[in-house]
Structures are given as C-alpha cells and as structure tokens.
C-alpha cells in the first residue's frame, strides 16, 4: 500500500496570540492539557503513529513537558518546531538560528524526547542558512514548505483583525506555488524536504484549518473537498503529508481570544468527528505513518531503485 504521513504542529494558545499581535500572549496561556489527550485518543483510536512538532518554550513548562512525555510514551516521533515559534525566522541571523535550534533541542531532550531529526519552521519559514544549519546538526529532514498560491490571501484574512503589521510577512507570496508538492532534496545539504501537501493541480491547502472553514459553510462541502483532494493524490501518485493542529479538536471556548482563527465556531465534538473521518479515509487508501518514517521509506525506496538500476 502507498505511504502517507500525518504530523501535528503543537502550537499553543500563546503562540497564536503572539503571531496575531495580541499582548495577552505574554502571560503564556495554554490549552495543551485539553488538546493533547484528545489528539492522542484520536490517534490511538485509528492506530496511527504520527510526528508531533513541539515548540521548545512549551517543552520547558510543566504542561508542555508532560505533553512530550505522553507523546513519546504513545510511540510518536517528537520533532523540532523552533523554540519561540516566531514565523519570521527568515529575519534571523545565522547565529540566532543556531541558538534557536539548540535551545529547542535541549528543551525537548530535557522533557524526555530523543534528540530531534526533523524540523518544521513556524509559518512555513525556511531559509538557506536554516537548511545548512539543520544539515550540520544532523537533521534528516525539513517539513517547512506549503506549495500553494494562497499565502497572500490567507495573510489578508488573518490581518483583518491583527493589529499593526504583526503578521505582515506570514505565509509567503504567490511564488510558493512553484515549490514541489512532492518530497525532494535541498541541493548540497542532502536534507530531504517533505512538503505539507496541497491539492494536486489546484494547489490549495487541504489541512485542518481549511477543512474546518469549509465545514462552517457546509459539512458536506468539507468532506467532498477532502475526498477530491485524496482522489487527485491517487491519480497523480502524490503521497500526501497531512498537517494537523490542536485547534482541529478544540472549541472556541477552549481557545479564548482565537475568534479570528478559521473554524473556531465549529463545536469541539464536531471537529473530533471530522478529524476521525479524515484519518479513516486516509487510512483506507494509504499506509499512514509519521513524517520521519515517511522520509525513511522514501530513502529506502530510492536505495532499492538504485540497486535495481545497478
């Protein structure tokens, strides 16, 4: 059976508020204790082993460290999602990038995870310097690209309620649509890039926030949209890598201050039901693993093809 992957960006409430320019983020409000058990229950119900990209600053706090321990105990991979979850890593100097990665790694290991070998930049932020540093630190893959043309539209939607220019550079430009929608290697670094899959041909996002926004309009529309995406993945031999967030299972009341975020009007129980349906449909057509295992299988397949050609 063909391989697909599922990953979770464990972005916390404070991180969303910070990106949105809400000063209340400084008190570091958290919804991890509500989101993590619910997500792990869904993964367990569907017998999925996934990858959880954890923010280092959260791994240093009690509920975040507990989340890391619970994720590891359930058999999931823990990967690096930066230390401070700032979607403007492209503004960082090389020294700042290295410090950011190192601090996050140390926090994850201290919380009980193996040293990470995968990275995803917050806000799909990735630069050549970052890739070189990842390779030098022994990372095997990056998962920071979202190959879509919709970035400026998503930014405009976000910025309607964001103060000032808090999110002025989020999500990139229209040119990101030219990025591959399939795994590839980043030049001399040898680092594998596993993009967050968008709908083949149309290049529109298919992950949770977008499905939930459609679900607010019509649950039937959301399900039809995802069915079409998977059908196109099968027709184009695209192995999907699906991205999830804690907001995919939380109600608006459990994420105070996030009324601006897509899908927050959908009740939590409906979100959990939609996620369960998505994972069931994905598993019907693919062998679903975490991003690290997905990359391992791609490498193994490449080696086998090389042996056959030799």
């Amino acid at each position: 059976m063909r391989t697909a992957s599922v990953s979770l960006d464990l972005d916390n409430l404070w991180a969303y508020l910070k990106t949105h320019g809400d000063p209340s983020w400084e008190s570091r409000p958290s919804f991890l204790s509500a989101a993590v058990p619910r997500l792990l229950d869904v993964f367990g119900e569907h017998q999925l082993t996934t990858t959880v990209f954890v923010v280092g600053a959260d791994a240093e706090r009690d509920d975040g460290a507990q989340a890391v321990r619970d994720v590891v105990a359930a058999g999931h991979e823990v990967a690096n999602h930066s230390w401070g979850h700032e979607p403007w890593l492209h503004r960082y100097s090389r020294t700042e990038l290295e410090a950011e990665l190192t601090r996050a790694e140390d926090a994850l290991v201290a919380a009980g995870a193996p040293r990470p070998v995968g990275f995803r930049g917050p806000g799909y932020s990735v630069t050549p310097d970052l890739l070189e540093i990842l390779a030098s630190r022994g990372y095997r893959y990056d998962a920071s690209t979202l190959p879509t043309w919709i970035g400026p539209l998503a930014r405009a939607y976000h910025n309607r309620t964001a103060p000032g220019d808090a999110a002025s550079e989020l999500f990139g430009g229209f040119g990101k649509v030219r990025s591959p929608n399939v795994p590839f290697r980043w030049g001399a670094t040898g680092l594998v890039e596993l993009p967050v899959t968008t709908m083949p041909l149309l290049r529109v996002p298919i992950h949770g926030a977008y499905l939930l926004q459609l679900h607010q309009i019509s649950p039937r529309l959301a399900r039809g949209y995802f069915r079409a995406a998977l059908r196109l993945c099968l027709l184009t031999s695209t192995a999907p890598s699906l991205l999830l967030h804690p907001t995919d299972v939380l109600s608006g009341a459990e994420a105070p201050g996030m009324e601006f975020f897509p899908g927050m009007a959908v009740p939590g129980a409906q979100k959990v039901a939609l996620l369960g349906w998505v994972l069931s449909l994905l598993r019907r057509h693919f062998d679903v693993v975490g991003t690290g295992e997905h990359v391992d299988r791609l490498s193994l397949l490449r080696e086998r093809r090389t042996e056959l050609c030799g």
Side-chain angles (χ1 to χ4, degrees):
M1 184 178 285
R2 302 175 187 181
T3 297
S5 55
V6 168
S7 62
L8 166 68
D9 283 3
L10 198 59
D11 305 340
N12 206 351
L13 178 55
W14 65 265
Y16 286 102
L17 298 178
K18 180 180 181 180
T19 300
H20 198 62
D22 186 333
S24 66
W25 80 267
E26 294 182 14
S27 65
R28 300 277 178 168
S30 175
F31 50 40
L32 295 184
S33 60
V36 173
R38 200 171 300 171
L39 285 158
L40 291 180
D41 283 348
V42 174
F43 295 154
E45 179 182 345
H46 292 274
Q47 300 180 319
L48 291 182
T49 301
T50 64
T51 298
V52 181
F53 289 85
V54 178
V55 177
D58 279 320
E60 292 180 355
R61 53 189 292 165
D62 290 344
D63 59 348
Q66 184 61 56
V68 169
R69 290 192 291 272
D70 291 344
V71 166
V72 171
H76 305 285
E77 176 190 13
V78 172
N80 189 339
H81 197 33
S82 79
W83 185 84
H85 197 275
E86 294 190 339
W88 40 88
L89 291 186
H90 51 280
R91 300 178 185 170
Y92 281 30
S93 69
R94 193 179 182 98
T95 300
E96 290 170 331
L97 285 171
E98 186 130 28
E100 178 81 2
L101 289 172
T102 301
R103 188 172 182 184
E105 291 164 10
D106 291 345
L108 297 180
V109 172
R115 186 162 293 279
V117 296
F119 179 82
R120 177 174 287 137
Y124 315 106
S125 183
V126 61
T127 66
D129 277 348
L130 174 61
L131 295 169
E132 289 175 7
I133 294 169
L134 289 172
S136 71
R137 297 189 65 79
Y139 283 74
R140 292 191 294 104
Y141 72 95
D142 177 76
S144 301
T145 59
L146 180 69
T148 182
W149 50 268
I150 207 170
L153 303 182
R155 182 166 58 250
Y157 173 86
H158 185 279
N159 287 356
R160 282 190 305 171
T161 56
D165 66 347
S168 62
E169 299 177 47
L170 277 180
F171 313 129
F174 291 113
K176 283 203 169 186
V177 73
R178 294 192 295 271
S179 299
N181 200 26
V182 294
F184 62 95
R185 287 190 182 272
W186 286 108
T189 69
L191 205 67
V192 174
E193 180 66 29
L194 187 66
V196 175
T197 305
T198 56
M199 189 181 294
L201 305 181
L202 300 180
R203 292 298 188 94
V204 286
I206 60 175
H207 58 276
Y210 295 87
L211 291 180
L212 287 167
Q213 189 73 346
L214 292 176
H215 188 279
Q216 284 188 181
I217 301 170
S218 164
R220 180 176 294 181
L221 175 62
R223 295 188 180 215
Y225 180 86
F226 190 71
R227 282 195 189 96
L230 281 196
R231 191 171 297 118
L232 284 173
C233 285
L234 291 166
L235 288 172
T236 60
S237 297
T238 301
S241 188
L242 184 66
L243 171 61
L244 306 176
H245 291 90
T247 48
D248 296 342
V249 296
L250 294 174
S251 67
E254 294 171 305
M258 285 190 61
E259 295 80 10
F260 63 89
F261 197 76
M264 294 313 296
V266 179
Q270 290 186 27
K271 289 185 171 186
V272 171
L274 178 62
L275 176 57
W277 176 84
V278 164
L279 295 177
S280 292
L281 188 61
L282 191 65
R283 289 194 68 216
R284 190 179 307 166
H285 298 287
F286 297 92
D287 184 16
V288 184
V289 297
T291 49
E293 176 66 18
H294 195 163
V295 169
D296 286 345
R297 293 187 182 189
L298 290 169
S299 299
L300 182 61
L301 181 61
R302 189 177 297 110
E303 289 173 6
R304 288 176 177 171
R305 286 175 177 169
T306 301
E307 289 173 1
L308 289 172
C309 291

